[in-house]
Amino acid sequence: MTTGGGALKKKQRVGSNNRLSSTLADLDSSLSDGTLAEVSHKPPSLRRSSSHSLLPVISSCSGGFNDAATADVILRLLLDQHYSQFEPPEASSDATSPVDQSEIQIYLHSHVLRRSKYFTALLSERWQLQNESSPNSSENAPKIYRFKLSVPATTDSINHHLAVLQLLYSDDLLSSIDTVSTALNLLPVALELLFEDCIKACVKFLEAVPWSEDEEKKILNLIPFLSDEESKELLARVSPVKSDSSEEMLDGLILSAIHNHPNMAFAKAFVAKLLRDFSSRESARRVLDKAFEKSLRVVKQSLEEYSSPDFRGDHNETEAIQRLNLHTAMTNGKHLLWLVERMIELKVADAAVKAWSEQASFTADLQRAFRDDAWRNIVPSLPAVVLRCTSRLANAVATGNILATRQVRMKLVRDWLPVLIICKDSVSLMGPNHKSLYLELEETFLRIISTLPLSDAQELLQQCLSFSTRNVDDCPHLVAAFTTWFRRANRPPQPDFCD
């Protein structure tokens, strides 16, 4: 395509006042089945060939679109099945319908066509030295320009080219664009003809309205043909400014769901689904690790302040602060449990398991807190929340969902076993509903102990005697654990194999 000249000011509007949708509707009816049917109420003046019927005049105004009486340009649109300048590479044959090659003749005006840089170049004197112009019978006769334009032989392509050519006669382009589909049909043709006003109108419309997923794909295919300024707003909608935008969004959603949203349960369920469906597990891991670390830090700090208050004041003030610490620990403990469950679900709890196994000071604060009676009337469910976090992580280790090192497995049981024992001693005051939780965690700890060397297992099993009950038959998990240990301990030592 040869280009030339600059963008001209809009010409005074002449021609049809109809909206583009009406124009396309007229064209659709006249171009159905690949033929050009005559419309009786408009004078036929757009000829296709001697073997085809006639295309109607779109505007009846003198000097308007397709007015043969005043036109000085005769344009032939050639349907070409091999021409697909703006077709995306992935477009299949279903998107095209074979059309018999033929020529459609249309009557236009050079002063209007100069709104298009493409036609400005064709109408330039330099181009006319090579261009075929009709022989004039007289030197004073008006000059008639004759051009050809190849048109992709795709569905409705001819309609879209005719629509853009008609818009050259319009000063109100935006009023002719009322759907994304219309803008996407016109934009490739406007780009082809370098019709800047139409390009700007299409882009302006696309910037301001929503798109479907299919429409977005088409826009992305057209963006490379736009200038940086034209594509700026379109790209801003579909291209992240920063590489970690998705992680920032997930981080914000998690914080909102667990801290700020009034309907927390529904918000958590929705964010959980987003995390499950998120394409990058590593991104989800980083976001969850960050949120886990933050919630754990708040819980630890609250329990530390509760267990070792470093302030002085009257009794009422002290009690109020202690209540606040316990409530803060309880609230963030629930958030922590939700995060742990999401991490295990996505199999990204490695860092959480390791961090949970390195909480000697935290578990010491918990033991001091649970020996006190104050928490029972303030946050009676706090021990259950903490133990559920421990149970979820320990079970992930025991089942192989998380492959933890021997050191991590040993420390996990060693630091959290005393917390379980203290909580179990308070089961009568906490209610029977928690009995299954304790039993589940006991069994999980014993399974982890079975994965440790005999010497480590011996040390930890001795602390598990509190799992026993008056009736030995009620603690088969403890019996099985000691049976396994003694069986292994009584096995004859294996000989050393030397080279």
Side-chain angles (χ1 to χ4, degrees), residues 108-144:
L108 303 168
H109 302 78
S110 59
H111 70 281
V112 175
L113 291 182
R114 283 189 169 89
R115 292 185 70 183
S116 157
K117 291 182 180 179
Y118 173 78
F119 285 114
T120 297
L122 290 183
L123 292 166
S124 66
E125 292 183 2
R126 180 179 180 183
W127 183 266
Q128 287 305 311
L129 294 176
Q130 307 175 43
N131 187 55
E132 293 183 8
S133 58
S134 61
N136 299 321
S137 56
S138 170
E139 292 183 0
N140 296 325
K143 186 175 184 180
I144 302 297

Side-chain angles (χ1 to χ4, degrees), residues 426-451:
S426 304
V427 68
S428 59
L429 297 176
M430 295 178 60
N433 293 334
H434 297 108
K435 184 176 180 180
S436 60
L437 171 60
Y438 303 137
L439 183 61
E440 178 184 349
L441 189 50
E442 287 176 6
E443 293 178 344
T444 303
F445 277 165
L446 291 172
R447 291 166 62 195
I448 294 176
I449 290 172
S450 72
T451 70

Side-chain angles (χ1 to χ4, degrees), residues 240-260:
V241 177
K242 297 181 292 184
S243 60
D244 60 349
S245 295
S246 294
E247 291 186 20
E248 282 190 4
M249 171 63 88
L250 283 179
D251 185 53
L253 289 173
I254 290 174
L255 292 178
S256 179
I258 65 179
H259 290 296
N260 303 324

Side-chain angles (χ1 to χ4, degrees), residues 413 417-418 420-422 424-425 439 442-443 445-446 449 457-472 474-483 485-486:
V413 177
L417 182 56
L420 171 60
I421 293 172
I422 288 180
K424 185 178 179 182
D425 290 342
L439 183 61
E442 287 176 6
E443 293 178 344
F445 277 165
L446 291 172
I449 290 172
Q458 177 179 346
E459 174 190 346
L460 295 174
L461 279 176
Q462 291 177 4
Q463 300 177 45
C464 294
L465 282 179
S466 61
F467 297 174
S468 62
T469 61
R470 181 177 302 178
N471 187 346
V472 177
D474 289 341
C475 50
H477 56 300
L478 187 60
V479 173
F482 276 99
T483 300
W485 187 90
F486 279 112

Side-chain angles (χ1 to χ4, degrees), residues 27 30-31 36-38 42-49 52-58 65-68 73-77 103-108 158 162 165:
L27 291 172
S30 64
L31 287 168
L36 302 171
E38 181 177 0
K42 293 184 178 179
S45 61
L46 181 57
R47 301 190 176 278
R48 184 177 184 182
S49 68
H52 293 278
S53 50
L54 305 173
L55 183 71
V57 175
I58 304 304
F65 176 76
N66 197 31
D67 180 9
V73 176
I74 299 175
L75 178 64
R76 288 185 292 170
L77 303 180
E103 292 184 5
I104 297 174
Q105 187 167 282
I106 185 171
Y107 296 91
L108 303 168
I158 188 68
L162 290 173
L165 289 171

Side-chain angles (χ1 to χ4, degrees), residues 332-342 384-385 388-389 392:
N332 284 274
K334 290 181 178 179
H335 301 334
L336 200 61
L337 176 59
W338 182 80
L339 291 168
V340 165
E341 290 173 341
R342 302 288 73 75
V385 169
R388 282 195 176 93
C389 289
R392 299 290 192 276

